[in-house]
Amino acid sequence: MSRISRRAFLTAAGAVAASAWLRPGVAAAATITPGDADVLLVIDVQNCFLPGGSLAVTGGDKVVPVINTLANRFRNIVVTQDWHTPGHVSFASAHPGAKPFDMAKLPYGDQVLWPDHCVQGTAGADLAAELKLPTAQLVIRKGYHHELDSYSAFNEADGTATGLAGYLKERGIRRVFAVGLATDFCVCFSAIDARKAGFEAFVVDDACRGIDAEGSLAKAWTAMTAAGVQKIVSADIA
Ligand code: VGL
Ligand code: ZN
């Protein structure tokens, strides 16, 4: 096993089995201790995605205390906000005759049409009031181009960079720990794009909730696993 692949192996969710095998008789610790090269990426924990919001994610509010606790472990925290123009191209209301969750063919590809959500400067676009991230260092807003959506914190739907990869690289970050809403859309696209940009990527499953429209959650996990995104739980981080 090369040094690189052994390190990747040891940090994987399967680290218990791996280290027990490498050091027989030694109790294996799967714990990840975040350091200077790690960032907690808190995705779209905004009122519109919480129960009662216009694009409510079931149990979306449940991620808040988990993320608040995780935040104590990280020196680097970046937050994202979905930040759409009124009448944004991703809204069903912008397409005559369309209903929420219909698909549309747009110049950059297939687009799910959503209920109006996270309109710039509205209360729905505010971060959840209970989210406590006083040490967060950067807020990335995305989806603000009227004719273009951006699920990912790294790249808009046509591939345009948001600048986050450059920011993280200049800060010496190597591992991205993604949490928030929704697992199968913005968390998934962000984690996969983190891999594409050369970061190690982890999704902290109990700090996320999915929309799960027509099997989208299972599909998202298949895609994330194929991209080398590692699924962990918050108890793995201490
Ligand atoms: C999201 C759908 C539309 C998300 C954002 O944050 O996962 N999903 N806009
Ligand atoms: Zn959106």
Side-chain angles (χ1 to χ4, degrees):
M1 201 185 294
S2 73
R3 280 178 57 214
I4 299 285
S5 70
R6 182 182 298 156
R7 176 151 30 87
F9 195 33
L10 284 171
T11 54
V16 174
S19 51
W21 167 65
L22 290 168
R23 295 178 296 150
V26 176
T31 307
I32 295 168
T33 303
D36 287 337
D38 298 316
V39 69
L40 183 68
L41 180 59
V42 181
I43 297 172
D44 297 2
V45 184
Q46 294 167 267
N47 293 328
C48 277
F49 299 121
L50 302 186
S54 60
L55 180 41
V57 179
T58 306
D61 54 329
K62 300 287 194 299
V63 305
V64 174
V66 183
I67 293 171
N68 287 348
T69 300
L70 271 178
N72 295 321
R73 305 273 172 261
F74 281 83
R75 291 176 209 162
N76 302 307
I77 302 176
V78 170
V79 178
T80 73
Q81 273 179 303
D82 213 34
W83 199 249
H84 298 310
T85 54
H88 189 256
V89 73
S90 72
F91 297 172
S93 62
H95 302 262
K99 300 181 304 298
F101 305 100
D102 284 353
M103 296 295 300
K105 294 239 179 273
L106 297 182
Y108 54 81
D110 292 341
Q111 170 74 51
V112 181
L113 297 179
W114 302 105
D116 290 20
H117 65 280
C118 296
V119 173
Q120 297 168 358
T122 64
D126 285 348
L127 296 172
E130 291 76 25
L131 194 64
K132 291 283 178 282
L133 304 173
T135 62
Q137 297 149 355
L138 176 71
V139 179
I140 283 271
R141 289 172 166 171
K142 59 185 181 61
Y144 52 77
H145 288 126
H146 192 62
E147 301 294 340
L148 179 60
D149 204 3
S150 185
Y151 292 148
S152 163
F154 291 90
N155 297 94
E156 301 184 73
D158 69 349
T160 302
T162 63
L164 180 58
Y167 171 85
L168 295 177
K169 283 178 187 174
E170 285 202 29
R171 298 277 327 281
I173 304 294
R174 290 193 296 275
R175 299 195 298 188
V176 173
F177 294 80
V179 298
L181 306 171
T183 321
D184 36 354
F185 289 92
C186 292
V187 174
C188 171
F189 279 73
S190 297
I192 289 174
D193 281 353
R195 294 286 302 136
K196 287 183 185 161
F199 300 98
E200 272 191 70
F202 300 78
V203 168
V204 187
D205 200 32
D206 56 323
C208 303
R209 289 294 185 281
I211 293 174
D212 204 12
E214 300 184 16
S216 57
L217 190 57
K219 267 190 231 157
W221 272 115
T222 302
M224 287 193 281
T225 303
V229 175
Q230 299 170 54
K231 185 196 242 186
I232 60 170
V233 293
S234 57
D236 294 332
I237 297 173

